[in-house]
Every structure is written in C-alpha cells, then in structure tokens.
C-alpha cells in the first residue's frame, strides 16, 4: 500500500492496479480501530469503533476527528478512575516513544450487558508519531475461563 491523498494504491502481480480510499480499508476491519496523532487527538475512527462507542455506557459517541481521545475516549476505558488512568499512562508511553506496545483489558456495559475487551495500543508506523488503538472482544474467552475455574473448584 502507498498512501497518497487519502488513497492507497493496491498492486498485485498480474492484476491491474486499483485505488482504494483508506476509509474503505479501515471500515472493512471487524475490530474497532482508532488512530491518534502524537498528542492523542483522533486522526481516524472506523465503523466498528462507531458501533462500539454508540453502544457503550458511558460511551464517547460524540468523539470525532480531532477530538482528544485520552480525555474523551478514556471515559470508556474503565469503570473506575484508576483503570482509566492506567490506560492513559500506557497510551501516553506509546505516543511518546517509550513503549512499543501497551495492552489493557476493559469491561464495558454494552446495551445493559457486560463485555470484556482486550485493548492494544501500538505506534503508528511509519509516520510523524501517533498510535493505533484496537479492541478485540474477549467476552466469550473470559466466560469460558471463568466456567473452567468454577468447574475446577468443584472437583
């Protein structure tokens, strides 16, 4: 891929080149993705993020391009202030170049049901700095782990 004015050229050997808008690629991803600049402001949000934010409580559904993710989006990162602050500290470490990966698990209330998500923050590369944040729903995995633990306790 080569970025040029919001378009990426996709070339496969033996196949004609086609231009794809970056947003089309981002919105095709199944997991929520947010791209931040080096100050933590939103450069891009994909469709999966918008769905997650609209259903999360509390949810930063109004967070848009240029918004301060660490301030506004942080409300969604944890049910308590210490969890939100751990996320902000880890994300800032990636943004400032002090870490190449930060992982954090969060519990969200989505439409009245608790879900669990593994959140990863990695540097935006190549480029002038920034980060990419992704969410993976690990609810089913954690429920299976919890059930196995209960089963072992009854043996």
């Amino acid at each position: 891929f080569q970025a040029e004015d919001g378009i990426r050229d996709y070339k496969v050997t033996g196949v004609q080149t086609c231009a794809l808008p970056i947003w089309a690629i981002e919105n095709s991803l199944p997991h929520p993705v947010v791209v931040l600049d080096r100050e933590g402001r939103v450069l891009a949000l994909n469709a999966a993020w918008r769905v997650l934010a609209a259903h999360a409580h509390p949810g930063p559904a109004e967070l848009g391009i240029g918004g301060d993710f660490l301030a506004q989006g942080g409300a969604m990162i944890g049910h308590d202030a210490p969890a939100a602050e751990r996320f902000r500290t880890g994300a800032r470490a990636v943004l400032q170049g002090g870490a190449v990966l930060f992982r954090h698990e969060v519990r969200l209330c989505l439409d009245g049901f608790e879900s669990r998500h593994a959140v990863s923050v990695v540097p935006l590369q190549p480029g002038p700095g920034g980060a990419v944040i992704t969410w993976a729903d690990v609810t089913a995995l954690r429920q299976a782990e919890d059930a196995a633990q209960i089963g072992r306790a009854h043996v």
Side-chain angles (χ1 to χ4, degrees), residues 65-105:
I65 304 301
D68 183 344
F69 184 83
L70 297 181
Q72 293 175 286
M76 195 174 129
I77 298 302
H79 287 302
D80 57 46
E85 190 53 38
R86 279 192 303 277
F87 172 78
R88 288 185 191 100
T89 299
R92 280 191 194 104
V94 172
L95 287 168
Q96 296 168 356
V100 296
L101 171 66
F102 174 71
R103 288 191 177 141
H104 185 74
E105 190 165 307

Side-chain angles (χ1 to χ4, degrees), residues 21-82:
I22 292 172
W23 60 263
I25 297 167
E26 293 167 347
N27 286 332
S28 297
L29 298 172
H31 298 290
V33 176
V34 177
V35 180
L36 306 179
D37 69 12
R38 68 177 61 220
E39 283 80 38
R41 299 208 172 274
V42 176
L43 294 175
L45 304 164
N46 74 346
W49 158 260
R50 289 180 182 94
V51 170
L52 178 69
H55 292 279
H57 179 76
E62 73 286 348
L63 181 63
I65 304 301
D68 183 344
F69 184 83
L70 297 181
Q72 293 175 286
M76 195 174 129
I77 298 302
H79 287 302
D80 57 46

